[in-house]
Amino acid sequence: MKPAAFTYARPADWPEALALLGGGARAQAGGQSLGPMMNLRLAQPGAVADLRHLPGFAGVTVTGATCRIGAGTTHAAIEDGAVPGLLGRILAGVARRIAYRAVRNRGTIGGSFSHADPAADWVAVLPVFMGEAIAFGPAGERRIPLDGFLRGLFETALAPDELLRAIELPLLPAGTRWGHWKFCRKPGEFSKATACVLAVPGAPVRAVLAALDTPPLVIADAGALLLAAPEAEAARIVAGLGPLEPWRAALARTALQRAGLAAREDA
């Protein structure tokens, strides 16, 4: 199918982008979610604001111990090493398992995160870090903790007149351990259960369980998942999610166990 007729706009700066948003335009970054929805006419915006040419929308900068990733940075750029150090190794491993390279060449970290599809990779991973989403609105920049950014299915903490400008993550020290697991029936498919575990020296172990048709579950103290037998802890966490189909609950428990095992064995 072809999309319904719409007006294309290419804002030159952030205030112009906000003005277009206030006028009813739909923001577009890589277009890997909005484009198919428009082709199927599930979304029929009257105008689309292409954010790709905004200053600072893409790119990675490091200031002190903080890494700032522009919301328009593509999955492919992250896969290819745009983010430095141990944090970059972790994010590159996540990025290279997103869909296919053609999608990664255009899809963006900020577009995926703000779209808030519960099965998306960045939705399942970013909340584990003690970082912040940088929103831009009429009053300027506003900081939102990553573990509070996602409010529901396709729902975020962004106000209607705000855009996601960047994501800031702390650089990770030596000795950090990482585990990540997602269930896909074939490459490129959306996950049916995803878990990640982050163990930073001197800090509580954090974990996220996601892709269960609910907002991601952030586990602020997940040290028990690094034990030799984490099955009981995984079962306790999944039981607290409420009723799940047996196959989905089994995938969720297994994802947590395998992410914990991967983190425990990470050198």
Side-chain angles (χ1 to χ4, degrees):
M1 294 182 65
K2 295 182 179 180
F6 65 93
T7 300
Y8 172 83
R10 178 175 156 173
D13 54 34
W14 288 90
E16 183 182 355
L18 291 183
L20 288 167
L21 193 69
R26 186 77 173 267
Q28 174 180 283
Q32 297 304 286
S33 296
L34 181 60
M37 291 172 65
M38 291 174 64
N39 285 340
L40 293 170
R41 303 208 175 188
L42 297 174
Q44 299 186 38
V48 171
D50 187 345
L51 307 181
R52 290 176 298 164
H53 306 281
L54 292 176
F57 187 53
V60 176
T61 57
V62 175
T63 304
T66 300
C67 180
R68 182 177 174 117
I69 306 171
T73 305
T74 64
H75 312 315
I78 296 171
E79 176 185 10
D80 293 344
V83 180
L86 179 55
L87 175 64
R89 174 180 72 81
I90 290 173
L91 297 185
V94 174
R96 72 173 55 99
R97 295 189 63 199
I98 296 174
Y100 304 95
R101 181 69 186 199
V103 172
R104 298 195 292 272
N105 283 337
R106 290 187 61 88
T108 65
I109 186 171
S112 174
F113 197 49
S114 57
H115 183 53
D117 187 317
D121 292 79
W122 297 123
V123 168
V125 168
L126 290 178
V128 83
F129 298 98
M130 296 295 288
E132 295 177 315
I134 312 302
F136 184 78
E141 287 192 349
R142 180 169 71 96
R143 294 176 173 271
I144 307 168
L146 290 177
D147 57 7
F149 183 80
L150 300 156
R151 297 285 179 83
L153 304 184
F154 302 98
E155 181 185 359
T156 73
L158 289 173
D161 58 354
E162 288 182 323
L163 293 167
L164 180 60
R165 191 172 197 173
I167 292 165
E168 291 191 355
L169 302 175
L171 296 177
L172 300 174
T176 296
R177 290 181 291 168
W178 168 256
H180 176 245
W181 193 272
K182 72 172 185 175
F183 278 102
C184 296
R185 289 181 293 183
K186 62 179 182 179
E189 188 180 60
F190 278 109
S191 175
K192 296 295 184 290
T194 302
C196 62
V197 176
L198 180 69
V200 178
V205 177
R206 289 171 60 87
V208 171
L209 177 62
L212 300 175
D213 300 329
T214 61
L217 173 67
V218 179
I219 305 153
D221 188 357
L225 291 173
L226 299 186
L227 301 177
E231 293 84 357
E233 178 66 5
R236 183 192 69 79
I237 292 170
V238 173
L241 294 174
L244 287 174
E245 293 184 57
W247 67 271
R248 205 67 177 277
L251 290 185
R253 290 192 299 268
T254 304
L256 278 171
Q257 293 171 31
R258 293 185 181 181
L261 178 62
R264 191 169 77 238
E265 296 181 347
D266 188 31

